[in-house]
């Protein structure tokens, strides 16, 4: 089995694992409800009661929890925290699954295009851990990987064209088809949608993970660029 086939097999395994984890999270959320709920206190005939409140189909729903006494709201508070953690985990896993699917598509397609960006180099970090160095010289791509962890590694050793690199950079950009794409490009001082130029400005950061890109001469660390602490 070649290195490319091994890497693809790892991606497929991770894809399956994420899909199973997402399915489990969905089932847990179905059991406890997905809507974030507020715990309020109401006074009725001089006595205080806990109520859960949330919106469902644009309607405000209230559920009595019981008299305000020490510990009465504990189960609701535990469930509320569980719901918050599950929703956050679902968002993270869904993002990672989409990244994995895009990687699989990139590493299995054969499409080539004329290089659209000049010679360049950059490093990819997970927090302050160097995970990849990328060098492009006269359309030749060199990938140096320092971890194979599928959540941290978005480059394969088999990435060998500017087209493939450009598609990976595009995964770290806002979507090209957004209605406000012109405004976002203008805010970055860029005239056209070019993933390389966008990532040079944004460092490819996302709230969903800790990956970021450092370009030559930049004296930056994770705390300088990451939006998620």
């Amino acid at each position: 089995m070649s290195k490319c086939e091994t890497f693809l097999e790892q991606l497929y395994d991770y894809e399956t694992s994420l899909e199973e984890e997402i399915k489990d999270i969905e089932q847990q959320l179905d059991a406890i409800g997905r809507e974030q709920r507020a715990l309020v206190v109401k006074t009725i005939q001089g006595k205080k009661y806990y109520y859960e409140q949330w919106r469902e189909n644009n309607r405000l729903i209230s559920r009595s929890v019981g008299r305000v006494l020490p510990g009465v709201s504990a189960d609701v508070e535990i469930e509320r925290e569980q719901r918050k953690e599950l929703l956050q985990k679902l968002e993270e896993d869904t993002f990672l699954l989409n990244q994995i699917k895009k990687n699989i598509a990139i590493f299995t397609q054969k499409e080539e295009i004329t290089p659209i960006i000049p010679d360049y180099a950059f490093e990819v970090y997970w927090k302050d851990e160097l995970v990849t160095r990328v060098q492009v010289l006269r359309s030749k791509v060199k990938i140096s990987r320092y971890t194979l962890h599928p959540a941290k590694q978005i480059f394969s050793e088999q990435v060998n064209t500017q087209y493939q690199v450009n598609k990976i950079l595009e995964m770290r950009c806002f979507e090209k088809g957004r209605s406000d794409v012109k405004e976002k490009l203008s805010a970055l001082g860029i005239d056209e949608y070019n993933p390389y130029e966008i990532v040079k400005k944004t460092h490819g950061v996302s709230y969903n993970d800790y990956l970021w890109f450092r370009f030559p001469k930049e004296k930056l660390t994770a705390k300088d660029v990451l939006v998620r602490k």
Side-chain angles (χ1 to χ4, degrees), residues 8-227:
L8 277 172
E9 185 174 300
Q10 291 173 343
L11 288 177
Y12 284 127
D13 288 344
Y14 194 47
E15 178 186 37
T16 300
S17 175
L18 283 171
E19 288 174 340
E20 292 176 350
E21 189 168 281
I22 288 173
K23 182 179 179 181
D24 180 62
I25 292 173
E26 296 275 9
Q27 291 174 344
Q28 293 184 63
L29 286 171
D30 287 341
I32 66 174
R34 297 168 181 268
E35 302 80 10
Q36 289 288 25
R37 306 182 180 190
L39 185 65
V40 300
V41 175
K42 294 183 179 182
T43 301
I44 302 175
Q45 295 181 349
K47 297 179 181 179
K48 292 182 173 61
Y49 296 85
Y50 284 121
Y51 277 82
E52 263 194 310
Q53 289 186 339
W54 68 96
R55 288 200 168 275
E56 192 172 297
N57 297 324
N58 294 322
R59 293 175 53 223
L60 181 63
I61 309 295
S62 294
R63 182 181 74 86
S64 175
V65 176
R67 286 278 302 275
V68 175
L69 294 169
V72 169
S73 63
D75 288 343
V76 171
E77 292 162 349
I78 292 171
E79 190 176 85
R80 183 182 181 184
E81 188 62 28
Q82 181 186 12
R83 181 183 298 108
K84 179 181 177 182
E85 292 175 357
L86 286 171
L87 288 170
Q88 181 176 336
K89 182 64 174 171
L90 178 62
E91 180 181 354
E92 293 173 351
D93 282 1
T94 301
F95 176 84
L96 286 174
L97 180 60
N98 289 334
Q99 295 292 89
I100 292 296
K101 288 182 180 296
K102 289 178 181 178
N103 271 334
I104 290 173
I106 290 170
F107 300 142
T108 55
Q109 65 185 335
K110 302 298 183 181
E111 183 178 355
E112 298 285 346
I113 61 173
T114 303
I116 60 174
I117 44 185
D119 297 345
Y120 59 95
F122 58 85
E123 295 177 333
V124 184
Y125 284 82
W126 178 274
K127 296 184 179 180
D128 286 324
E129 174 191 353
L130 177 63
V131 296
T132 315
R133 295 190 76 238
V134 179
Q135 295 173 288
V136 178
L137 180 62
R138 294 186 177 89
S139 301
K140 294 182 179 179
V141 177
K142 179 181 179 182
I143 305 293
S144 300
R145 302 188 302 166
Y146 302 97
T147 180
L148 298 180
H149 193 292
K152 299 179 180 180
Q153 187 55 258
I154 58 175
F155 284 89
S156 164
E157 287 183 337
Q158 301 304 311
V159 171
N160 52 29
T161 69
Q162 282 198 21
Y163 171 78
Q164 291 173 311
V165 173
N166 204 51
K167 294 300 289 184
I168 292 173
L169 293 179
E170 189 174 334
M171 296 189 324
R172 306 300 299 184
C173 301
F174 46 85
E175 294 181 0
K176 189 175 182 179
R178 302 175 53 121
S179 60
D180 62 344
V181 66
K182 289 184 179 180
E183 289 81 358
K184 295 187 75 67
L185 290 174
S186 177
L188 294 173
I190 300 173
D191 296 328
E192 62 180 3
Y193 190 91
N194 184 317
Y196 173 68
E197 294 298 333
I198 293 172
V199 170
K200 280 184 68 176
K201 297 281 188 177
T202 66
H203 297 93
V205 298
S206 168
Y207 179 78
N208 298 286
D209 58 40
Y210 300 104
L211 284 168
W212 64 282
F213 294 70
R214 190 192 74 83
F215 293 86
K217 301 180 183 180
E218 291 182 333
K219 295 181 178 180
L220 299 172
T221 64
K223 68 179 181 180
D224 298 314
V225 296
L226 289 180
V227 294

